[in-house]
Amino acid sequence: MENELEQIRQRLDNEISLRNTTEQEPREKETIINEQRTTAETQGQTFEEELNLRTGQIESKETALRDLRRLLVEERQQKTDLEERLRNLQLEMEEERDRRASTERELNTATERQTHQTRDWIIQRKEVVLSGKVLGKGAWGEVLEGSFRSCQVAVKKIHDMILSDHNRKLFEREMTIASCCRHPNLLQFIGATNDDGHLLFVTELLEISLRRLLSQRALNDEEIVSLSMNVAKGLNYLHLNRPHPIIHRDISSANVLLWRRDEC
């Protein structure tokens, strides 16, 4: 009897234990499912945040790419504009060179025409009588005392070795200019030869150069002021010449010639 009761008690304990186990399994499964759901939601939020972040980065990069493309288009347009301006400037420079060349040709033609028309400065060599007295020497030649039509004159004799075609044109131009200059403070030009011999440049004869005078004695204040004013007046006349000013470019004491005004 006791054995039967013991057996019945064990069966009841087993049934109770089995029932408790059966009741705990759903709760554990539910807990696991809840935990998994929470984990999944957390991961989903994380994935969504990461997706939003990457989407924002992609949008930023797309915006930067669009800006770069716009800048590239603008730079290409600027390059095109600069190339167009460069071409226009080159065309303008070529046109300016053509105009300048045309102007120079016209000027040379006019100068040559004027030179041929105004060669009234040419004198005959036989009218110039040279003495053996040398008044000075320079790079272009030597200056001798002589006479022209019974008047005492200074004659610059040009070296043959420097008379190239170019220098002869320069000489003719200088003679043409000198023949047009008339002023009390400029050396009076008389004429020049223009044949195949030594070129002779004839001017009035003055007594002494400023350099030679300074080597003999000092100038007083009155003389300094007077000489300075005379030189300035002569240069002013040249600089105001029309239509083109004349620049001497070689003012020195050797090129300032003097004549005696009185015996004081």
Side-chain angles (χ1 to χ4, degrees):
M1 188 69 178
E2 290 178 359
N3 291 332
E4 292 178 358
L5 289 173
E6 184 65 26
Q7 290 177 358
I8 291 171
R9 189 181 293 111
Q10 288 179 357
R11 283 197 302 272
L12 289 173
D13 291 336
N14 291 334
E15 288 178 0
I16 292 171
S17 177
L18 180 61
R19 184 179 295 171
N20 291 334
T21 301
T22 303
E23 290 176 355
Q24 287 177 355
E25 287 179 356
R27 286 196 299 271
E28 292 176 356
K29 289 181 179 179
E30 184 177 356
T31 301
I32 293 172
I33 290 172
N34 290 334
E35 291 177 353
Q36 291 177 348
R37 182 180 298 164
T38 301
T39 302
E41 290 176 353
T42 302
Q43 291 178 349
Q45 291 176 354
T46 303
F47 290 152
E48 186 175 357
E49 292 175 355
E50 185 176 356
L51 179 62
N52 292 333
L53 178 61
R54 294 188 178 182
T55 301
Q57 292 175 348
I58 292 173
E59 290 177 352
S60 298
K61 291 181 179 179
E62 289 178 347
T63 301
L65 181 60
R66 285 194 297 270
D67 293 339
L68 288 174
R69 287 175 177 171
R70 186 178 67 256
L71 290 175
L72 180 60
V73 171
E74 292 176 355
E75 288 181 355
R76 287 176 178 173
Q77 184 62 40
Q78 290 177 356
K79 181 181 178 181
T80 302
D81 294 341
L82 289 174
E83 289 176 348
E84 182 66 23
R85 289 178 59 188
L86 179 61
R87 285 194 294 269
N88 292 334
L89 288 174
Q90 289 175 342
L91 290 175
E92 291 177 1
M93 289 176 62
E94 291 177 359
E95 292 175 356
E96 181 64 26
R97 281 196 294 265
D98 292 339
R99 285 196 296 269
R100 182 179 301 176
S102 178
T103 302
E104 289 179 353
R105 287 194 297 269
E106 292 176 358
L107 180 60
N108 291 334
T109 301
T111 302
E112 291 178 0
R113 187 183 299 114
Q114 182 180 10
T115 301
H116 288 297
Q117 292 175 351
T118 59
R119 285 184 177 176
D120 54 355
W121 47 265
I122 296 178
I123 59 178
Q124 298 299 316
R125 181 178 298 273
K126 62 184 179 180
E127 295 184 280
V128 182
V129 179
L130 298 175
S131 69
K133 185 177 180 180
V134 179
L135 302 177
K137 293 183 179 182
W140 284 77
E142 60 181 359
V143 181
L144 304 170
E145 186 175 329
S147 65
F148 173 73
R149 298 178 183 177
S150 299
C151 295
Q152 293 299 110
V153 295
V155 183
K156 180 183 287 188
K157 186 177 181 182
I158 309 300
H159 295 310
D160 279 342
M161 65 179 59
I162 65 173
L163 284 180
S164 63
D165 292 338
H166 175 71
N167 286 339
R168 181 175 285 274
K169 289 182 179 179
L170 293 179
F171 177 81
E172 292 177 356
R173 186 179 68 177
E174 182 178 348
M175 297 304 100
T176 301
I177 294 173
S179 66
C180 299
C181 295
R182 295 290 185 271
H183 191 273
N185 297 117
L186 293 180
L187 184 67
Q188 182 65 45
F189 171 74
I190 297 175
T193 62
N194 194 28
D195 51 23
D196 295 333
H198 289 280
L199 295 180
L200 302 179
F201 177 25
V202 182
T203 67
E204 65 175 319
L205 179 63
L206 298 183
E207 295 182 25
I208 193 171
S209 69
L210 177 59
R211 177 174 296 178
R212 181 173 297 179
L213 179 61
L214 290 174
S215 68
Q216 296 174 1
R217 67 176 180 86
L219 302 179
N220 58 45
D221 293 342
E222 182 181 356
E223 289 173 328
I224 292 173
V225 172
S226 177
L227 286 174
S228 300
M229 287 295 296
N230 289 337
V231 172
K233 289 177 181 178
L235 290 177
N236 186 64
Y237 169 82
L238 294 177
H239 294 170
L240 295 179
N241 185 69
R242 296 291 183 272
H244 303 293
I246 299 172
I247 309 299
H248 192 284
R249 298 182 186 277
D250 190 24
I251 299 299
S252 67
S253 59
N255 289 332
V256 176
L257 303 179
L258 309 175
W259 55 276
R260 188 180 300 276
R261 186 174 58 187
D262 50 46
E263 296 300 327
C264 297

